[in-house]
Amino acid sequence: MSNPDPQIPQLPSSLSLIQKLGAVALISGLLVAMVYEYTKPMIADNQRVALEAALYNVLPASASSRLTFRLEDDQLTLVPDDTPNEGDLIYAGYDNEHKLVGIALTAAAQGYQDTVKILYAYDPYSSCIKDFVVLKSTETPGFGDKIATDESFLKNFECLDAKVNEDQSALAHAIKTVRHGTKKNPWEIDAIAGATITSNAVGRMLDKSGQLFHPAIAQNLNLLENAQRSTQP
Amino acid sequence: MSTPAPKQETSVTLEIFTAGLWKENPIFVMMLGLCPTLAVTNSLANALAMGAATIFVLVGSNALVSGLRHFIPKQIRITTYIIIIATFVTLVDYLIQAISLEMYNALGAFIQLIVVNCLILGRAEAYASKNSFNKSVVSAAGMGVGFTFALACLGSVRELLGSGKLLGFQVFGDNFEPWVVMILPPGGFIVLGSWLILFKWIEQRQTKKIISSDAATHCTVKHNP
């Protein structure tokens, strides 16, 4: 009577299940680590090429050399050109005479589908945002992706006012996107009809980036202007 | 006296591969993996890239599941399959980033979402866990190619009508006004529905043909005993 029913199969012990799950996880981990190590330099190379292409398009044609700075607590420090950008880097372009000719900055904000990331040109002398290149976007084809092609939208960036206030603590006027056809001020962005969410994202990201970087650039303009000369032997 | 195992159990036939292409096509017949089907087929290039990524994950995970089928206890099989599938998805994620960042950005979150594509888990559970390594790999490859074929069917029509191009090359003249709806989500449903109608029609025609030829054979046999 006390004998167990021979029909009921013996369940494996919890320890055996954990061991087997651990073994499969170990195989998986090894595979991921191997492929990660193999593809890491290729991915870094692709990202560097994409950034170089974007910088080439955004910085003025007269820029023949470039320096990269990191912003930390309103201070700029020179870093190597291949430093990974975590949203805290400033790319300064210099002409043949080591004169500062333009600055490129990254900005990102949540769009309609996912985060939209751009690289934009900022002229510290005229305080204008002049151009931008989309680095990452998965916005709706035919609508959200028009931010890179719509001519009337790109006209906003002939000279979008992004000057800093007198005490160099923030932007004088917050950059904002307004409804299509209602732009009145040079710091406003005229939205694309039918792609309002992505247009708003561009306004938000430029304002956020401008509030962070532009005052620091204004405070450290001398450092930026003389950096190329001081790095020359 | 022990009975020998049936030969059919281990032999790999062409039918195992072709089943996924037509008779058991994952999209047109089994209606599996419809989320990426509708989401990434707005261009032929995206459809082919998603198809290639799915083939890689499907073949890799089915091979490993089949290889470990005697080792994995029944109680933890789904957890183990998900770990294996997630591993291959992570691998394909790194590989696509290494091959082309542009393609990676175009496919967006849908590469990571291959983990939850029911086609892959479905094949691991229904086929790879019960069949030999060779059969599982061949079947997975057939299913993957069938999935890619279906994605390409959708992607080509949507790109052609939605932007007048095919693989980025202009097909229609400058006067062609693109049907933007085709590259938006409703276009995915419209084109998928149209393809399903076409495939059902072809299938019904074939069935009718077989029935009528069978009937003709019976009549001939009856008249000429």
Side-chain angles (χ1 to χ4, degrees), chain A residues 49-112:
Chain A
V49 169
L51 183 67
E52 285 294 332
L55 281 168
Y56 179 78
N57 286 326
V58 158
L59 286 173
S62 56
S64 58
S65 61
R66 200 183 82 217
L67 288 176
T68 308
F69 297 86
R70 173 174 282 143
L71 176 67
E72 263 175 324
D73 303 326
D74 286 342
Q75 297 297 315
L76 301 187
T77 42
L78 193 62
V79 290
D81 280 349
D82 56 356
T83 307
N85 192 347
E86 283 158 15
D88 54 355
L89 297 185
I90 294 172
Y91 303 99
Y94 299 88
D95 65 9
N96 287 332
E97 290 161 2
H98 311 313
K99 206 177 132 204
L100 179 69
V101 287
I103 287 172
L105 301 160
T106 53
Q110 177 65 35
Y112 183 68

Short mmCIF file of all heavy atoms in Angstrom, two decimals, chain A residues 49-112:
data_model
loop_
_atom_site.label_atom_id
_atom_site.label_comp_id
_atom_site.label_asym_id
_atom_site.label_seq_id
_atom_site.Cartn_x
_atom_site.Cartn_y
_atom_site.Cartn_z
N VAL A 49 32.34 56.13 -38.82
CA VAL A 49 32.17 56.56 -40.22
C VAL A 49 30.88 57.39 -40.36
O VAL A 49 30.87 58.44 -41.01
CB VAL A 49 32.14 55.34 -41.16
CG1 VAL A 49 31.70 55.71 -42.56
CG2 VAL A 49 33.51 54.68 -41.20
N ALA A 50 29.80 56.93 -39.71
CA ALA A 50 28.52 57.64 -39.79
C ALA A 50 28.65 59.03 -39.18
O ALA A 50 28.15 60.03 -39.72
CB ALA A 50 27.42 56.84 -39.08
N LEU A 51 29.36 59.13 -38.04
CA LEU A 51 29.53 60.43 -37.38
C LEU A 51 30.42 61.34 -38.21
O LEU A 51 30.13 62.54 -38.36
CB LEU A 51 30.12 60.22 -35.98
CG LEU A 51 30.28 61.50 -35.15
CD1 LEU A 51 28.91 62.07 -34.79
CD2 LEU A 51 31.09 61.25 -33.89
N GLU A 52 31.49 60.77 -38.78
CA GLU A 52 32.38 61.57 -39.63
C GLU A 52 31.62 62.15 -40.81
O GLU A 52 31.78 63.32 -41.15
CB GLU A 52 33.54 60.70 -40.16
CG GLU A 52 34.60 60.37 -39.14
CD GLU A 52 35.38 61.59 -38.67
OE1 GLU A 52 35.50 62.54 -39.44
OE2 GLU A 52 35.86 61.56 -37.52
N ALA A 53 30.78 61.31 -41.44
CA ALA A 53 30.00 61.78 -42.60
C ALA A 53 29.06 62.90 -42.18
O ALA A 53 28.92 63.91 -42.89
CB ALA A 53 29.21 60.61 -43.19
N ALA A 54 28.43 62.73 -41.00
CA ALA A 54 27.50 63.76 -40.52
C ALA A 54 28.25 65.05 -40.20
O ALA A 54 27.80 66.15 -40.55
CB ALA A 54 26.77 63.24 -39.28
N LEU A 55 29.43 64.92 -39.57
CA LEU A 55 30.22 66.13 -39.23
C LEU A 55 30.67 66.85 -40.49
O LEU A 55 30.66 68.08 -40.55
CB LEU A 55 31.45 65.74 -38.39
CG LEU A 55 31.18 65.47 -36.91
CD1 LEU A 55 32.39 64.82 -36.26
CD2 LEU A 55 30.81 66.74 -36.18
N TYR A 56 31.04 66.06 -41.49
CA TYR A 56 31.47 66.66 -42.77
C TYR A 56 30.34 67.49 -43.38
O TYR A 56 30.56 68.55 -43.93
CB TYR A 56 31.89 65.53 -43.72
CG TYR A 56 32.33 66.00 -45.08
CD1 TYR A 56 33.59 66.55 -45.27
CD2 TYR A 56 31.46 65.92 -46.17
CE1 TYR A 56 34.00 67.00 -46.50
CE2 TYR A 56 31.86 66.38 -47.42
CZ TYR A 56 33.13 66.91 -47.58
OH TYR A 56 33.51 67.38 -48.81
N ASN A 57 29.11 66.99 -43.25
CA ASN A 57 27.96 67.70 -43.82
C ASN A 57 27.56 68.92 -43.00
O ASN A 57 27.05 69.89 -43.53
CB ASN A 57 26.76 66.76 -43.93
CG ASN A 57 26.93 65.77 -45.05
OD1 ASN A 57 27.51 66.10 -46.08
ND2 ASN A 57 26.46 64.56 -44.85
N VAL A 58 27.75 68.83 -41.68
CA VAL A 58 27.23 69.88 -40.80
C VAL A 58 28.20 71.03 -40.61
O VAL A 58 27.81 72.20 -40.63
CB VAL A 58 26.82 69.23 -39.44
CG1 VAL A 58 26.79 70.25 -38.34
CG2 VAL A 58 25.47 68.56 -39.57
N LEU A 59 29.49 70.73 -40.44
CA LEU A 59 30.46 71.81 -40.21
C LEU A 59 30.69 72.58 -41.52
O LEU A 59 30.57 72.00 -42.59
CB LEU A 59 31.78 71.23 -39.69
CG LEU A 59 31.77 70.77 -38.22
CD1 LEU A 59 33.07 70.05 -37.88
CD2 LEU A 59 31.55 71.92 -37.26
N PRO A 60 31.03 73.87 -41.45
CA PRO A 60 31.23 74.65 -42.68
C PRO A 60 32.33 74.04 -43.55
O PRO A 60 33.24 73.38 -43.04
CB PRO A 60 31.66 76.03 -42.15
CG PRO A 60 31.25 76.07 -40.74
CD PRO A 60 31.22 74.67 -40.24
N ALA A 61 32.21 74.30 -44.86
CA ALA A 61 33.16 73.72 -45.82
C ALA A 61 34.59 74.16 -45.53
O ALA A 61 35.55 73.46 -45.87
CB ALA A 61 32.76 74.10 -47.23
N SER A 62 34.74 75.34 -44.91
CA SER A 62 36.09 75.86 -44.63
C SER A 62 36.78 75.13 -43.48
O SER A 62 37.98 75.30 -43.26
CB SER A 62 36.03 77.35 -44.33
OG SER A 62 35.14 77.56 -43.25
N ALA A 63 36.03 74.30 -42.74
CA ALA A 63 36.64 73.59 -41.60
C ALA A 63 37.55 72.49 -42.10
O ALA A 63 37.11 71.55 -42.74
CB ALA A 63 35.54 73.01 -40.71
N SER A 64 38.86 72.64 -41.84
CA SER A 64 39.81 71.65 -42.33
C SER A 64 40.30 70.74 -41.21
O SER A 64 40.90 69.71 -41.48
CB SER A 64 41.00 72.34 -42.99
OG SER A 64 41.59 73.21 -42.06
N SER A 65 40.07 71.15 -39.97
CA SER A 65 40.45 70.28 -38.85
C SER A 65 39.40 70.38 -37.75
O SER A 65 38.53 71.26 -37.80
CB SER A 65 41.82 70.67 -38.31
OG SER A 65 41.76 72.00 -37.84
N ARG A 66 39.51 69.48 -36.79
CA ARG A 66 38.44 69.40 -35.79
C ARG A 66 39.02 69.05 -34.43
O ARG A 66 40.01 68.31 -34.34
CB ARG A 66 37.48 68.31 -36.24
CG ARG A 66 36.14 68.36 -35.65
CD ARG A 66 35.34 67.20 -36.13
NE ARG A 66 35.65 66.01 -35.33
CZ ARG A 66 35.72 64.79 -35.80
NH1 ARG A 66 35.52 64.57 -37.07
NH2 ARG A 66 36.00 63.78 -35.01
N LEU A 67 38.39 69.57 -33.39
CA LEU A 67 38.75 69.17 -32.02
C LEU A 67 37.47 68.76 -31.30
O LEU A 67 36.39 69.30 -31.58
CB LEU A 67 39.43 70.31 -31.26
CG LEU A 67 40.86 70.67 -31.68
CD1 LEU A 67 41.35 71.88 -30.90
CD2 LEU A 67 41.83 69.51 -31.46
N THR A 68 37.61 67.83 -30.37
CA THR A 68 36.42 67.37 -29.63
C THR A 68 36.59 67.74 -28.15
O THR A 68 37.67 67.54 -27.58
CB THR A 68 36.28 65.84 -29.78
OG1 THR A 68 36.32 65.53 -31.17
CG2 THR A 68 34.97 65.34 -29.19
N PHE A 69 35.52 68.30 -27.58
CA PHE A 69 35.55 68.70 -26.17
C PHE A 69 34.42 67.99 -25.44
O PHE A 69 33.36 67.73 -26.01
CB PHE A 69 35.34 70.22 -26.03
CG PHE A 69 36.44 71.03 -26.67
CD1 PHE A 69 36.37 71.36 -28.02
CD2 PHE A 69 37.52 71.47 -25.92
CE1 PHE A 69 37.37 72.10 -28.61
CE2 PHE A 69 38.53 72.20 -26.51
CZ PHE A 69 38.45 72.53 -27.86
N ARG A 70 34.65 67.75 -24.15
CA ARG A 70 33.57 67.20 -23.31
C ARG A 70 33.13 68.28 -22.34
O ARG A 70 33.95 69.00 -21.76
CB ARG A 70 34.07 65.96 -22.54
CG ARG A 70 33.02 65.48 -21.54
CD ARG A 70 33.41 64.19 -20.88
NE ARG A 70 33.18 63.07 -21.77
CZ ARG A 70 33.97 62.01 -21.85
NH1 ARG A 70 35.04 61.95 -21.11
NH2 ARG A 70 33.68 61.02 -22.65
N LEU A 71 31.81 68.37 -22.18
CA LEU A 71 31.24 69.35 -21.25
C LEU A 71 30.98 68.67 -19.91
O LEU A 71 30.23 67.69 -19.84
CB LEU A 71 29.93 69.91 -21.82
CG LEU A 71 29.17 70.87 -20.92
CD1 LEU A 71 29.93 72.17 -20.71
CD2 LEU A 71 27.79 71.17 -21.49
N GLU A 72 31.64 69.21 -18.87
CA GLU A 72 31.42 68.69 -17.51
C GLU A 72 31.37 69.87 -16.56
O GLU A 72 32.34 70.63 -16.45
CB GLU A 72 32.59 67.78 -17.11
CG GLU A 72 32.31 66.31 -17.33
CD GLU A 72 33.53 65.45 -17.03
OE1 GLU A 72 34.67 65.89 -17.33
OE2 GLU A 72 33.33 64.36 -16.53
N ASP A 73 30.24 70.05 -15.88
CA ASP A 73 30.05 71.15 -14.92
C ASP A 73 30.45 72.50 -15.51
O ASP A 73 31.26 73.24 -14.93
CB ASP A 73 30.88 70.89 -13.64
CG ASP A 73 30.52 69.56 -13.01
OD1 ASP A 73 29.34 69.18 -13.09
OD2 ASP A 73 31.42 68.90 -12.46
N ASP A 74 29.92 72.81 -16.69
CA ASP A 74 30.18 74.07 -17.39
C ASP A 74 31.64 74.25 -17.82
O ASP A 74 32.05 75.33 -18.24
CB ASP A 74 29.74 75.28 -16.54
CG ASP A 74 28.23 75.42 -16.53
OD1 ASP A 74 27.58 74.83 -17.41
OD2 ASP A 74 27.69 76.12 -15.65
N GLN A 75 32.45 73.21 -17.69
CA GLN A 75 33.86 73.29 -18.10
C GLN A 75 34.07 72.41 -19.33
O GLN A 75 33.48 71.33 -19.43
CB GLN A 75 34.78 72.78 -16.97
CG GLN A 75 34.74 73.60 -15.69
CD GLN A 75 35.24 75.03 -15.89
OE1 GLN A 75 36.27 75.24 -16.54
NE2 GLN A 75 34.50 76.00 -15.38
N LEU A 76 34.92 72.89 -20.26
CA LEU A 76 35.21 72.09 -21.45
C LEU A 76 36.59 71.46 -21.32
O LEU A 76 37.55 72.16 -20.99
CB LEU A 76 35.17 72.97 -22.70
CG LEU A 76 33.87 73.71 -23.01
CD1 LEU A 76 33.97 74.39 -24.36
CD2 LEU A 76 32.69 72.79 -22.99
N THR A 77 36.67 70.17 -21.58
CA THR A 77 37.99 69.52 -21.59
C THR A 77 38.20 68.84 -22.94
O THR A 77 37.26 68.25 -23.48
CB THR A 77 38.09 68.45 -20.47
OG1 THR A 77 36.87 67.72 -20.43
CG2 THR A 77 38.39 69.03 -19.12
N LEU A 78 39.41 68.94 -23.45
CA LEU A 78 39.75 68.36 -24.75
C LEU A 78 39.83 66.83 -24.60
O LEU A 78 40.46 66.34 -23.67
CB LEU A 78 41.10 68.92 -25.20
CG LEU A 78 41.50 68.69 -26.64
CD1 LEU A 78 40.53 69.34 -27.61
CD2 LEU A 78 42.91 69.22 -26.88
N VAL A 79 39.16 66.11 -25.51
CA VAL A 79 39.19 64.65 -25.47
C VAL A 79 39.59 64.13 -26.85
O VAL A 79 39.46 64.86 -27.84
CB VAL A 79 37.82 64.05 -25.04
CG1 VAL A 79 37.51 64.32 -23.58
CG2 VAL A 79 36.69 64.52 -25.94
N PRO A 80 40.07 62.88 -26.95
CA PRO A 80 40.42 62.35 -28.28
C PRO A 80 39.21 62.32 -29.22
O PRO A 80 38.07 62.19 -28.76
CB PRO A 80 40.90 60.92 -27.98
CG PRO A 80 41.21 60.90 -26.53
CD PRO A 80 40.37 61.92 -25.88
N ASP A 81 39.46 62.42 -30.53
CA ASP A 81 38.38 62.49 -31.53
C ASP A 81 37.49 61.26 -31.55
O ASP A 81 36.32 61.33 -31.93
CB ASP A 81 38.98 62.70 -32.93
CG ASP A 81 39.33 64.16 -33.16
OD1 ASP A 81 38.91 64.99 -32.32
OD2 ASP A 81 40.03 64.46 -34.14
N ASP A 82 38.05 60.09 -31.16
CA ASP A 82 37.24 58.87 -31.24
C ASP A 82 36.49 58.56 -29.93
O ASP A 82 36.00 57.46 -29.74
CB ASP A 82 38.12 57.68 -31.65
CG ASP A 82 39.31 57.49 -30.71
OD1 ASP A 82 39.48 58.33 -29.81
OD2 ASP A 82 40.06 56.52 -30.89
N THR A 83 36.38 59.57 -29.05
CA THR A 83 35.64 59.36 -27.79
C THR A 83 34.18 59.08 -28.10
O THR A 83 33.57 59.82 -28.88
CB THR A 83 35.75 60.62 -26.90
OG1 THR A 83 37.12 60.95 -26.76
CG2 THR A 83 35.12 60.41 -25.53
N PRO A 84 33.59 58.01 -27.52
CA PRO A 84 32.17 57.76 -27.79
C PRO A 84 31.29 58.89 -27.26
O PRO A 84 31.51 59.38 -26.14
CB PRO A 84 31.88 56.46 -27.05
CG PRO A 84 33.12 56.04 -26.37
CD PRO A 84 34.20 57.04 -26.63
N ASN A 85 30.33 59.31 -28.08
CA ASN A 85 29.48 60.45 -27.70
C ASN A 85 28.29 59.98 -26.88
O ASN A 85 27.44 59.24 -27.34
CB ASN A 85 28.99 61.15 -28.98
CG ASN A 85 28.37 62.49 -28.66
OD1 ASN A 85 28.07 62.79 -27.50
ND2 ASN A 85 28.17 63.30 -29.68
N GLU A 86 28.26 60.43 -25.64
CA GLU A 86 27.11 60.13 -24.79
C GLU A 86 26.27 61.38 -24.57
O GLU A 86 25.71 61.60 -23.50
CB GLU A 86 27.59 59.54 -23.46
CG GLU A 86 28.00 58.09 -23.60
CD GLU A 86 28.94 57.61 -22.51
OE1 GLU A 86 29.08 58.31 -21.48
OE2 GLU A 86 29.54 56.54 -22.70
N GLY A 87 26.23 62.22 -25.59
CA GLY A 87 25.41 63.43 -25.52
C GLY A 87 26.10 64.56 -24.78
O GLY A 87 25.46 65.55 -24.43
N ASP A 88 27.42 64.45 -24.52
CA ASP A 88 28.12 65.50 -23.77
C ASP A 88 29.32 66.06 -24.54
O ASP A 88 30.16 66.71 -23.97
CB ASP A 88 28.57 64.97 -22.41
CG ASP A 88 29.42 63.69 -22.56
OD1 ASP A 88 29.55 63.20 -23.69
OD2 ASP A 88 29.92 63.21 -21.53
N LEU A 89 29.36 65.80 -25.86
CA LEU A 89 30.53 66.23 -26.63
C LEU A 89 30.23 67.44 -27.52
O LEU A 89 29.11 67.61 -28.00
CB LEU A 89 31.05 65.08 -27.51
CG LEU A 89 31.57 63.82 -26.79
CD1 LEU A 89 32.16 62.86 -27.79
CD2 LEU A 89 32.60 64.16 -25.72
N ILE A 90 31.26 68.26 -27.70
CA ILE A 90 31.17 69.43 -28.58
C ILE A 90 32.26 69.26 -29.64
O ILE A 90 33.42 69.01 -29.31
CB ILE A 90 31.44 70.73 -27.77
CG1 ILE A 90 30.32 70.94 -26.74
CG2 ILE A 90 31.58 71.94 -28.67
CD1 ILE A 90 30.59 72.07 -25.76
N TYR A 91 31.85 69.35 -30.93
CA TYR A 91 32.82 69.21 -32.02
C TYR A 91 33.08 70.62 -32.59
O TYR A 91 32.15 71.27 -33.08
CB TYR A 91 32.29 68.31 -33.13
CG TYR A 91 31.91 66.94 -32.63
CD1 TYR A 91 30.59 66.62 -32.34
CD2 TYR A 91 32.88 65.95 -32.42
CE1 TYR A 91 30.23 65.37 -31.87
CE2 TYR A 91 32.53 64.70 -31.96
CZ TYR A 91 31.21 64.41 -31.68
OH TYR A 91 30.86 63.17 -31.20
N ALA A 92 34.33 71.08 -32.50
CA ALA A 92 34.66 72.42 -32.99
C ALA A 92 35.46 72.30 -34.28
O ALA A 92 36.43 71.53 -34.33
CB ALA A 92 35.46 73.17 -31.93
N GLY A 93 35.04 73.04 -35.31
CA GLY A 93 35.74 72.99 -36.61
C GLY A 93 36.61 74.23 -36.79
O GLY A 93 36.21 75.34 -36.43
N TYR A 94 37.82 74.03 -37.34
CA TYR A 94 38.78 75.13 -37.53
C TYR A 94 39.23 75.17 -38.98
O TYR A 94 39.34 74.12 -39.63
CB TYR A 94 40.00 74.93 -36.62
CG TYR A 94 39.65 74.90 -35.15
CD1 TYR A 94 39.30 73.70 -34.53
CD2 TYR A 94 39.64 76.07 -34.40
CE1 TYR A 94 38.96 73.66 -33.19
CE2 TYR A 94 39.29 76.03 -33.05
CZ TYR A 94 38.94 74.84 -32.46
OH TYR A 94 38.60 74.81 -31.14
N ASP A 95 39.51 76.39 -39.47
CA ASP A 95 39.99 76.51 -40.84
C ASP A 95 41.52 76.36 -40.87
O ASP A 95 42.15 76.08 -39.84
CB ASP A 95 39.51 77.81 -41.50
CG ASP A 95 40.08 79.04 -40.82
OD1 ASP A 95 40.98 78.88 -39.97
OD2 ASP A 95 39.63 80.15 -41.13
N ASN A 96 42.11 76.61 -42.05
CA ASN A 96 43.56 76.43 -42.20
C ASN A 96 44.37 77.35 -41.31
O ASN A 96 45.52 77.07 -40.99
CB ASN A 96 43.95 76.68 -43.67
CG ASN A 96 43.49 75.52 -44.53
OD1 ASN A 96 43.38 74.40 -44.04
ND2 ASN A 96 43.19 75.80 -45.79
N GLU A 97 43.75 78.49 -40.95
CA GLU A 97 44.49 79.44 -40.09
C GLU A 97 44.16 79.24 -38.61
O GLU A 97 44.31 80.14 -37.79
CB GLU A 97 44.14 80.87 -40.52
CG GLU A 97 44.74 81.17 -41.87
CD GLU A 97 44.06 82.36 -42.54
OE1 GLU A 97 43.15 82.95 -41.93
OE2 GLU A 97 44.46 82.66 -43.67
N HIS A 98 43.63 78.05 -38.29
CA HIS A 98 43.29 77.66 -36.90
C HIS A 98 42.21 78.54 -36.29
O HIS A 98 42.17 78.74 -35.08
CB HIS A 98 44.54 77.67 -36.00
CG HIS A 98 45.69 76.94 -36.58
ND1 HIS A 98 45.58 75.69 -37.13
CD2 HIS A 98 47.00 77.31 -36.72
CE1 HIS A 98 46.76 75.30 -37.58
NE2 HIS A 98 47.63 76.27 -37.36
N LYS A 99 41.38 79.12 -37.15
CA LYS A 99 40.30 79.97 -36.66
C LYS A 99 39.03 79.14 -36.49
O LYS A 99 38.72 78.31 -37.35
CB LYS A 99 40.04 81.08 -37.70
CG LYS A 99 39.46 82.34 -37.11
CD LYS A 99 39.32 83.40 -38.18
CE LYS A 99 37.93 83.97 -38.09
NZ LYS A 99 37.43 84.55 -39.28
N LEU A 100 38.32 79.36 -35.38
CA LEU A 100 37.08 78.61 -35.12
C LEU A 100 36.02 79.02 -36.15
O LEU A 100 35.69 80.21 -36.27
CB LEU A 100 36.58 78.93 -33.70
CG LEU A 100 35.28 78.25 -33.26
CD1 LEU A 100 35.46 76.76 -33.10
CD2 LEU A 100 34.77 78.85 -31.96
N VAL A 101 35.50 78.06 -36.93
CA VAL A 101 34.52 78.42 -37.98
C VAL A 101 33.13 77.83 -37.71
O VAL A 101 32.15 78.24 -38.34
CB VAL A 101 34.99 77.99 -39.39
CG1 VAL A 101 36.12 78.87 -39.88
CG2 VAL A 101 35.38 76.53 -39.43
N GLY A 102 33.03 76.91 -36.80
CA GLY A 102 31.70 76.34 -36.53
C GLY A 102 31.75 75.28 -35.45
O GLY A 102 32.82 74.76 -35.13
N ILE A 103 30.58 75.00 -34.89
CA ILE A 103 30.49 74.00 -33.83
C ILE A 103 29.37 73.04 -34.18
O ILE A 103 28.33 73.46 -34.70
CB ILE A 103 30.22 74.70 -32.47
CG1 ILE A 103 31.50 75.42 -32.01
CG2 ILE A 103 29.75 73.73 -31.40
CD1 ILE A 103 31.31 76.30 -30.81
N ALA A 104 29.60 71.76 -33.93
CA ALA A 104 28.54 70.76 -34.15
C ALA A 104 28.18 70.11 -32.82
O ALA A 104 29.07 69.79 -32.02
CB ALA A 104 29.01 69.71 -35.15
N LEU A 105 26.89 69.94 -32.58
CA LEU A 105 26.40 69.38 -31.32
C LEU A 105 25.35 68.32 -31.60
O LEU A 105 24.67 68.38 -32.63
CB LEU A 105 25.76 70.48 -30.47
CG LEU A 105 26.66 71.66 -30.09
CD1 LEU A 105 25.81 72.86 -29.70
CD2 LEU A 105 27.59 71.28 -28.97
N THR A 106 25.21 67.38 -30.69
CA THR A 106 24.15 66.38 -30.87
C THR A 106 22.95 66.75 -29.99
O THR A 106 23.10 67.40 -28.95
CB THR A 106 24.62 64.96 -30.50
OG1 THR A 106 25.17 64.99 -29.20
CG2 THR A 106 25.61 64.42 -31.48
N ALA A 107 21.77 66.31 -30.43
CA ALA A 107 20.55 66.53 -29.65
C ALA A 107 19.64 65.34 -29.90
O ALA A 107 19.66 64.74 -30.98
CB ALA A 107 19.87 67.82 -30.11
N ALA A 108 18.85 64.98 -28.88
CA ALA A 108 17.95 63.82 -29.04
C ALA A 108 16.67 64.06 -28.25
O ALA A 108 16.68 64.72 -27.22
CB ALA A 108 18.64 62.56 -28.55
N ALA A 109 15.57 63.53 -28.77
CA ALA A 109 14.28 63.60 -28.06
C ALA A 109 13.38 62.49 -28.58
O ALA A 109 13.61 61.94 -29.67
CB ALA A 109 13.62 64.95 -28.26
N GLN A 110 12.37 62.18 -27.81
CA GLN A 110 11.42 61.14 -28.19
C GLN A 110 10.53 61.63 -29.34
O GLN A 110 9.91 62.68 -29.24
CB GLN A 110 10.55 60.77 -26.98
CG GLN A 110 9.46 59.75 -27.23
CD GLN A 110 10.02 58.38 -27.61
OE1 GLN A 110 11.06 57.96 -27.11
NE2 GLN A 110 9.34 57.69 -28.50
N GLY A 111 10.52 60.91 -30.44
CA GLY A 111 9.66 61.27 -31.57
C GLY A 111 8.37 60.47 -31.53
O GLY A 111 7.90 60.09 -30.45
N TYR A 112 7.82 60.17 -32.71
CA TYR A 112 6.54 59.44 -32.79
C TYR A 112 6.76 57.95 -32.53
O TYR A 112 5.99 57.32 -31.81
CB TYR A 112 5.94 59.66 -34.18
CG TYR A 112 4.58 59.04 -34.38
CD1 TYR A 112 3.47 59.51 -33.70
CD2 TYR A 112 4.42 57.97 -35.26
CE1 TYR A 112 2.23 58.94 -33.88
CE2 TYR A 112 3.18 57.40 -35.46
CZ TYR A 112 2.10 57.88 -34.77
OH TYR A 112 0.86 57.31 -34.96
#
